Structures are given as C-alpha cells and as structure tokens.
Amino acid sequence: MKRIAVLTSGGDAPGMNSAIRAVTRTAIFHDMDVVGIRRGYQGLLDGDFSAMDLGYVADIVHRGGTKLLTARCDAFLEEKNQRRAAESLAKQGIEGLVVIGGDGSFRGALALDRLGLPVVGVPGTIDNDIYGTAASIGFSTAVNTSIWAIDHIRDTATSHQRNFLIEVMGRNAGHLALAAGLAGGAEAVLLPEIPFDLREIADKIEKGHRRGKIHSIIVLAEGAGSGVEVAAQIRDITGHEYKITNMGHVQRGGSPDHRDRLIAARMGNRAVTLLMERKSGLMVGIRGETLSVAALKEILGLKKPLPIGDYELMKVLSI
Ligand code: ADP
Ligand code: F6P
C-alpha cells in the first residue's frame, strides 16, 4: 500500500488530533503518502483533500477538536454519492482509508468497504456508545470535564444549600452520564437505558436531607429527558427548586487527557498496520489495556451495554 487517506467525521472528540497524528506518522514511517480529507464525508464528496506531511501533524497531539475539521453529511447516506466518493479516492490513487468517528461514521465506512475500498475505523466519540470497544477516543476527557463542572457546582451548591440538575451529553446512551455521576459523587443519575421513578429518587434525596445533607446533585443524561421538565417534576414532588446546568458542548472540547492520547496513539497506529495487512471493514477497539479488532458489519446496530455494576455502585455510594 502506497497511499492512504484519513478523515474525522461526526461530533468532534478530544484526542482526534492525536489519532490523526498517529495515523499520519505511522504511514509516513512505513513510506506511504497520506492524504487528509477535510470536513469528513462532506469534504470527501467535495474533493477537499490536503497532503499530509510530518509537519502537518506537529503540535496537535495535545489539542482538542480536529485539525481536519468534521461535519455531518446527509448526502453521504445516498449510495450514488458513496460510489462517487469511492471513485474519486481511487482516481487519487488512495488505496485505503482510516475513518475516525462514531457509529454513524462507521456506517459510512462500511459502505465504502462494500464498494471495494479498504477502510478501518478508529472509535472517536465522547458518547462511548460503540459496541466492541471498552473506550472511544474523547470519552475519558469528556468525563473529566464533566467532573470538573460537577465539582465546581458542588462548591456553590454546598455554600447555598441548593439542589442542582446537571445535563450531560451522550445522545441515546448513558455511558458519559453514568461515569460522570459516579466519579462526581452525584445523588442520582438518570439514564436512557434504565427506567427510573422520580418519586423514589426524590424520597431518597429527602431522606438524605433529613439526615443532614444540605444540597443534592442529580446528573441527567440528555437521552433520558429534558432538564427543564425533570427539574419541574422533582420540584412538584419535593417542593424544592432544582437549578439546571446544561454541560452542552463544553464536554466536546479541551486538551485530551493521557488516556485519550494513549488510545489514540495505539489505535491510529493499528489502523494503518491493518490496512498494510490488506485488512478492511474493521474497527480497532480496546479491551482492558489491549487493542482488539472487530468487524464493522458485526458491531453496527448492536447496543453497547451499560456497565450495570457501576450503576448499582452509584446507588450504594449515594445512599
Ligand atoms: P457519529 O459518527 O459521531 O456517530 P453521526 O451519526 O452524525 O456521527 O454520523 C456522521 C456522518 O456519518 C453522517 O453525517 C453521515 O455523513 C455518515 N453516516 C451516518 N450514517 C450513515 C449511513 N447509514 N450510511 C452512510 N453514511 C452514514
Ligand atoms: O455524538 C457526540 C454528541 O456530542 C452527542 O453527545 C450529542 O447528542 C451530539 O453529539 C450533539 O451534536 P451537535 O454538536 O451536532 O449538536
């Protein structure tokens, strides 16, 4: 293999830059040319390509966001456009592609694989909702950012003896909210995967108040409901006001932490060596501290289970 390309797609995630660097430098180390496709599948359709050299990826290992930019591109859902993209890559002499993104981006990757272009996926999403990998690039940093915010809110919540509801991203998945809630010491975490009874939660929080707790923090995953509505419902049950903080896109930015940089380095490198081995239609993942490889067609559509033990632990520790 002499020439490969790399793109980032979907929501950006801290560590995507570290992964771009790992892909580019591994490929150059093995005497390959690397082409960067800007703005994800949109740039692929528009021919927005730039040659990557060692300098292009200098000084990005620690930067949030993605230097290649990203996009959501509805046109790429159409087969005629996927074909056009595969043809344009072939015309450029590109023999393999690394797609850094989430499950939506991997569906696009699988479409290209089926059209004969060798493709390997590297999981990059703060949601950590991809089946077949314990972690995706960006998750660890986003959890840290969420904890940072929860800690700050806890200070003021204690001083003012107030209650807070903190909304955390994650689309339809609760991994980010659960990790943030457990590590941030929240009183309750509301997740899309687990039905919850606000009366039970309110009872428990009231018990804590009677015992002397002077504030409470509830973490709400965005997929589990609207902050405004949930806060109003709890207020109606308990008579207590809940102030709402929506973490929003703050969680998507910032310098990647050590874990995201390490997995980005390892996964980016492995993606290139898989292409060199003429493998395709795969995703590099991680199991424990070891890299794993899964077939995209087998993981897409499967729902990644929540670490249910952490949910139970959360309930014990927030007694
Ligand atoms: P993520 O990759 O973070 O899950 P999205 O779900 O928004 O983000 O997907 C990113 C992009 O991947 C979409 O805008 C689209 O261009 C492409 N994509 C998503 N689903 C498909 C699909 N079924 N077929 C082809 N391309 C897809
Ligand atoms: O997939 C990452 C994510 O941040 C989700 O947690 C969230 O639901 C979504 O992207 C937000 O997308 P956008 O940046 O387009 O508003």
Side-chain angles (χ1 to χ4, degrees):
M1 197 161 281
K2 280 275 147 253
R3 194 167 162 82
I4 65 164
V6 56
L7 62 79
T8 50
S9 163
D12 62 350
M16 278 185 163
N17 275 326
S18 317
I20 294 169
R21 172 179 177 269
V23 167
T24 306
R25 294 214 165 154
T26 301
I28 293 174
F29 179 87
H30 290 291
D31 296 323
M32 284 184 272
D33 289 339
V34 189
V35 174
I37 299 167
R38 288 152 44 91
R39 298 183 291 115
Y41 294 121
Q42 188 61 56
L44 179 50
L45 293 178
D46 297 344
D48 191 356
F49 300 167
S50 59
M52 314 268 280
D53 58 13
L54 293 173
Y56 189 96
V57 293
D59 270 340
I60 62 167
V61 73
H62 62 306
R63 290 201 193 284
T66 160
K67 185 165 180 177
L68 283 175
L69 312 180
T70 185
R72 295 207 165 89
C73 170
D74 288 343
F76 203 71
L77 303 178
E78 290 177 45
E79 203 191 319
K80 69 169 195 293
N81 290 327
Q82 296 163 1
R83 266 183 206 289
R84 192 154 65 76
E87 283 160 16
S88 117
L89 287 169
K91 241 185 248 158
Q92 299 264 337
I94 291 165
E95 298 166 276
L97 173 68
V98 177
V99 170
I100 304 167
D103 61 336
S105 305
F106 289 168
R107 284 175 211 282
L110 187 57
L112 290 171
D113 165 73
R114 288 185 169 142
L115 291 167
L117 178 84
V119 185
V120 175
V122 170
T125 164
I126 64 165
D127 302 339
N128 201 22
D129 59 346
I130 301 175
Y131 190 92
T133 182
S136 55
I137 295 165
F139 174 67
S140 175
T141 307
V143 174
N144 282 332
T145 303
S146 308
I147 298 169
W148 170 87
I150 293 172
D151 292 349
H152 280 63
I153 284 169
R154 180 184 290 280
D155 288 343
T156 178
T158 314
S159 308
H160 283 264
Q161 311 113 70
R162 275 176 171 160
N163 305 304
F164 276 84
L165 184 97
I166 304 177
E167 286 187 74
V168 170
M169 275 190 170
R171 205 174 289 201
N172 304 316
H175 296 270
L176 183 53
L178 176 55
L182 177 58
E187 268 63 39
V189 182
L190 311 181
L191 307 171
E193 292 89 345
I194 301 178
F196 50 87
D197 178 346
L198 284 182
R199 282 189 181 279
E200 255 174 43
I201 289 164
D203 274 357
K204 185 180 135 183
I205 291 176
E206 286 306 296
K207 237 182 248 163
H209 282 303
R210 283 199 292 277
R211 222 184 54 230
K213 278 196 185 188
I214 58 173
H215 73 271
S216 64
I217 292 173
I218 299 177
V219 170
L220 170 70
E222 67 166 319
S226 126
V228 175
E229 281 167 22
V230 172
Q233 285 166 359
I234 304 193
R235 186 201 51 221
D236 291 347
I237 299 170
T238 63
H240 292 141
E241 264 328 301
Y242 273 76
K243 292 214 167 271
I244 303 167
T245 300
N246 188 344
M247 290 274 302
H249 289 78
V250 169
Q251 296 156 105
R252 287 249 292 267
S255 179
D257 71 5
H258 90 276
R259 178 153 179 78
D260 283 329
R261 293 187 204 193
L262 287 181
I263 64 171
R266 292 174 186 148
M267 289 175 172
N269 168 268
R270 186 72 187 110
V272 175
T273 58
L274 283 168
L275 286 175
M276 289 166 65
E277 292 161 17
R278 303 273 164 189
K279 304 260 173 62
S280 181
L282 302 175
M283 176 195 75
V284 184
I286 193 148
R287 201 169 290 143
E289 287 305 310
T290 312
L291 288 184
S292 56
V293 175
L296 287 173
K297 66 174 185 314
E298 277 162 26
I299 56 160
L300 289 175
L302 293 179
K303 173 87 178 153
K304 182 174 176 176
L306 271 187
I308 204 71
D310 279 356
Y311 185 73
E312 297 304 328
L313 176 58
M314 158 78 223
K315 289 204 284 192
V316 171
L317 300 187
S318 61
I319 192 171

